[in-house]
Amino acid sequence: MTQSTYAVTGVASGIGAELARILKSQGHGVIGFDIQETTENVDRFIKLDLNDAASIATAAKTVGEPLDGLCNNAGLPPREGLEEAILQVNFLGTRAFTNAMVPHMRKGASIVNMASRAGHGWPTGVEQVKRLAALTEKSQLAEFIAFEQIDATRCYNLTKEAMILWSIAESEAMVNRGLRVNSLSPGGIATGILADFQKAFGDKMAKNVERAGRPGAAEEIAQIAAFALSPASNWLKGADIAIDGGMGSFNQSDAMGLGALRLATQEQAA
């Protein structure tokens, strides 16, 4: 007998596949969603194309059972030529899918939105995020991209800023429904799309990974996602959790000149 039933998007590879494996190992049921079919570590697979409104509606209707949580993990990398799809899949489609999935959720269920450390520029991007969030049709995306003069990398960063801010914006409404929502912000993760991030972020990413000692592993992100989905994290609401091996902290320390706050080493003490 399964303990709980969780829905995971982007379940066919990377973090989503690892999350499904972990949840199954804990005795839970997993409904997996992806554009690419898989039978690994899922009790049910439902095809989902977040770039297609009809697919979103059909996938949500197909669920037909109560859920204890949803991890919105599916997303596209910052790849040139995918600008419209990035905005649609990573945020607008994910938001629409979540809206359609909420009626299936039991009281106490958890929503985990996969953001990114690339979204931590949201304090300066909030107005652009609001303009993106105001779009109602996929047909508006080309005009939006032209007006905002944004490339694939900015489209990606913008969607991850949107995932963080959307999670914050929804938090109180979800609490009032007996649900909760949080976002996770991985940085530099060794999955099949790592090369896209290396190309998009170049030397900055390489330096961050070098300082952290290595890129993160999909399993390490999935473990935290599993915790955020579980009742054990029930007081975690409206939070964004950076999972980046310390990369963000290293950069913050540099920017604020926090060297004087560090513990003295034996050599310094001498």
Side-chain angles (χ1 to χ4, degrees):
M1 182 177 178
T2 56
Q3 297 180 37
S4 300
T5 301
Y6 295 109
V8 180
T9 70
V11 75
S13 61
I15 296 168
E18 284 297 311
L19 176 57
R21 181 187 62 78
I22 290 168
L23 292 172
K24 288 297 294 177
S25 73
Q26 295 173 344
H28 302 302
V30 175
I31 302 176
F33 297 82
D34 207 304
I35 196 168
Q36 177 184 334
E37 187 169 357
T38 183
T39 57
E40 292 289 320
N41 296 306
V42 296
D43 296 278
R44 291 174 62 198
F45 174 81
I46 299 174
K47 187 170 183 179
L48 171 65
D49 181 356
L50 289 169
N51 203 24
D52 183 326
S55 176
I56 291 170
T58 299
K61 284 181 183 177
T62 305
V63 173
E65 63 183 284
L67 300 173
D68 297 284
L70 164 66
C71 181
N72 285 314
N73 168 73
L76 293 173
R79 189 178 300 168
E80 187 177 349
L82 295 183
E83 290 82 3
E84 289 184 37
I86 290 168
L87 296 177
Q88 174 64 26
V89 170
N90 291 12
F91 177 59
L92 295 175
T94 294
R95 182 177 62 171
F97 179 67
T98 304
N99 189 52
M101 291 288 281
V102 163
H104 297 300
M105 294 188 187
R106 291 188 176 103
K107 187 173 182 179
S110 170
I111 299 170
V112 175
N113 290 326
M114 199 62 67
S116 169
R117 208 175 74 80
H120 283 186
W122 65 260
T124 58
V126 61
E127 295 304 322
Q128 193 174 48
V129 169
K130 290 178 184 178
R131 292 193 293 273
L132 172 64
L135 301 184
T136 56
E137 301 290 338
K138 191 169 75 168
S139 59
Q140 299 171 300
L141 289 173
E143 183 179 355
F144 175 83
I145 290 166
F147 178 80
E148 301 288 341
Q149 299 183 324
I150 51 178
D151 61 10
T153 299
R154 178 57 196 153
C155 285
Y156 178 82
N157 291 355
L158 178 60
T159 60
K160 296 308 181 179
E161 292 170 13
M163 289 293 276
I164 294 170
L165 292 175
W166 171 46
S167 302
I168 293 170
E170 288 286 1
S171 185
E172 186 172 8
M174 289 296 177
V175 167
N176 290 338
R177 287 178 164 184
L179 308 175
R180 59 197 178 88
V181 59
N182 297 285
S183 60
L184 305 182
S185 289
I189 308 304
T191 66
I193 55 175
L194 181 62
D196 289 292
F197 295 100
Q198 290 171 328
K199 182 177 180 181
F201 301 118
D203 291 343
K204 182 178 180 180
M205 178 175 172
K207 182 179 179 182
N208 283 335
V209 170
E210 181 181 1
R211 294 177 77 178
R214 62 173 175 84
E219 180 183 8
E220 292 170 316
I221 310 305
Q223 288 170 339
I224 296 173
F227 171 71
L229 284 171
S230 77
S233 63
N234 71 298
W235 200 236
L236 193 66
K237 302 174 183 182
D240 178 69
I241 303 171
I243 318 169
D244 61 6
M247 297 178 195
S249 293
F250 304 159
N251 292 329
Q252 284 182 320
S253 179
D254 290 348
M256 293 186 284
L258 300 182
L261 277 69
R262 295 174 186 157
L263 295 172
T265 64
Q266 289 183 338
E267 290 80 5
Q268 290 172 328

PDB file of all heavy atoms in Angstrom, residues 9 108 115-116 148-149 170 249 262:
ATOM      1  N   THR A   9       6.347  16.367 -13.052  1.00  0.00           N
ATOM      2  CA  THR A   9       6.526  16.677 -14.471  1.00  0.00           C
ATOM      3  C   THR A   9       8.002  16.601 -14.829  1.00  0.00           C
ATOM      4  O   THR A   9       8.868  16.731 -13.975  1.00  0.00           O
ATOM      5  CB  THR A   9       5.971  18.066 -14.830  1.00  0.00           C
ATOM      6  OG1 THR A   9       6.801  19.093 -14.255  1.00  0.00           O
ATOM      7  CG2 THR A   9       4.540  18.236 -14.345  1.00  0.00           C
ATOM      8  N   GLY A 108      -3.535  19.665   2.636  1.00  0.00           N
ATOM      9  CA  GLY A 108      -2.182  19.408   3.125  1.00  0.00           C
ATOM     10  C   GLY A 108      -1.185  19.113   2.024  1.00  0.00           C
ATOM     11  O   GLY A 108       0.004  18.945   2.296  1.00  0.00           O
ATOM     12  N   ALA A 115      12.673  26.188  -9.741  1.00  0.00           N
ATOM     13  CA  ALA A 115      13.176  27.445 -10.280  1.00  0.00           C
ATOM     14  C   ALA A 115      14.654  27.247 -10.633  1.00  0.00           C
ATOM     15  O   ALA A 115      15.032  26.222 -11.200  1.00  0.00           O
ATOM     16  CB  ALA A 115      12.979  28.572  -9.278  1.00  0.00           C
ATOM     17  N   SER A 116      15.498  28.186 -10.282  1.00  0.00           N
ATOM     18  CA  SER A 116      16.929  28.086 -10.584  1.00  0.00           C
ATOM     19  C   SER A 116      17.653  29.234  -9.903  1.00  0.00           C
ATOM     20  O   SER A 116      17.068  30.293  -9.653  1.00  0.00           O
ATOM     21  CB  SER A 116      17.161  28.173 -12.093  1.00  0.00           C
ATOM     22  OG  SER A 116      18.535  28.331 -12.397  1.00  0.00           O
ATOM     23  N   GLU A 148      10.498  43.285 -25.537  1.00  0.00           N
ATOM     24  CA  GLU A 148      11.428  43.253 -24.411  1.00  0.00           C
ATOM     25  C   GLU A 148      12.886  43.121 -24.860  1.00  0.00           C
ATOM     26  O   GLU A 148      13.796  43.323 -24.063  1.00  0.00           O
ATOM     27  CB  GLU A 148      11.082  42.094 -23.478  1.00  0.00           C
ATOM     28  CG  GLU A 148       9.676  42.130 -22.907  1.00  0.00           C
ATOM     29  CD  GLU A 148       9.479  43.220 -21.865  1.00  0.00           C
ATOM     30  OE1 GLU A 148      10.481  43.723 -21.308  1.00  0.00           O
ATOM     31  OE2 GLU A 148       8.298  43.558 -21.577  1.00  0.00           O
ATOM     32  N   GLN A 149      13.086  42.772 -26.141  1.00  0.00           N
ATOM     33  CA  GLN A 149      14.432  42.608 -26.713  1.00  0.00           C
ATOM     34  C   GLN A 149      15.265  41.611 -25.884  1.00  0.00           C
ATOM     35  O   GLN A 149      16.357  41.928 -25.416  1.00  0.00           O
ATOM     36  CB  GLN A 149      15.151  43.953 -26.824  1.00  0.00           C
ATOM     37  CG  GLN A 149      14.434  44.938 -27.738  1.00  0.00           C
ATOM     38  CD  GLN A 149      15.188  46.258 -27.895  1.00  0.00           C
ATOM     39  OE1 GLN A 149      15.815  46.751 -26.961  1.00  0.00           O
ATOM     40  NE2 GLN A 149      15.117  46.832 -29.084  1.00  0.00           N
ATOM     41  N   GLU A 170       1.521  33.134  -4.706  1.00  0.00           N
ATOM     42  CA  GLU A 170       0.461  32.148  -4.469  1.00  0.00           C
ATOM     43  C   GLU A 170       0.409  31.653  -3.034  1.00  0.00           C
ATOM     44  O   GLU A 170      -0.545  30.980  -2.633  1.00  0.00           O
ATOM     45  CB  GLU A 170       0.657  30.933  -5.391  1.00  0.00           C
ATOM     46  CG  GLU A 170       0.358  31.188  -6.845  1.00  0.00           C
ATOM     47  CD  GLU A 170      -1.131  31.303  -7.142  1.00  0.00           C
ATOM     48  OE1 GLU A 170      -1.949  31.211  -6.209  1.00  0.00           O
ATOM     49  OE2 GLU A 170      -1.473  31.505  -8.321  1.00  0.00           O
ATOM     50  N   SER A 249      26.240  31.936  -2.153  1.00  0.00           N
ATOM     51  CA  SER A 249      26.866  32.534  -0.970  1.00  0.00           C
ATOM     52  C   SER A 249      28.261  33.057  -1.280  1.00  0.00           C
ATOM     53  O   SER A 249      28.660  34.113  -0.785  1.00  0.00           O
ATOM     54  CB  SER A 249      26.934  31.503   0.157  1.00  0.00           C
ATOM     55  OG  SER A 249      25.648  31.180   0.618  1.00  0.00           O
ATOM     56  N   ARG A 262      34.733  36.242   8.581  1.00  0.00           N
ATOM     57  CA  ARG A 262      35.090  34.827   8.582  1.00  0.00           C
ATOM     58  C   ARG A 262      35.834  34.441   9.848  1.00  0.00           C
ATOM     59  O   ARG A 262      36.493  35.263  10.484  1.00  0.00           O
ATOM     60  CB  ARG A 262      35.964  34.516   7.362  1.00  0.00           C
ATOM     61  CG  ARG A 262      35.238  34.687   6.024  1.00  0.00           C
ATOM     62  CD  ARG A 262      36.172  34.505   4.855  1.00  0.00           C
ATOM     63  NE  ARG A 262      35.488  34.813   3.604  1.00  0.00           N
ATOM     64  CZ  ARG A 262      36.108  35.166   2.474  1.00  0.00           C
ATOM     65  NH1 ARG A 262      37.444  35.253   2.465  1.00  0.00           N
ATOM     66  NH2 ARG A 262      35.414  35.414   1.395  1.00  0.00           N
TER      67      ARG A 262
END
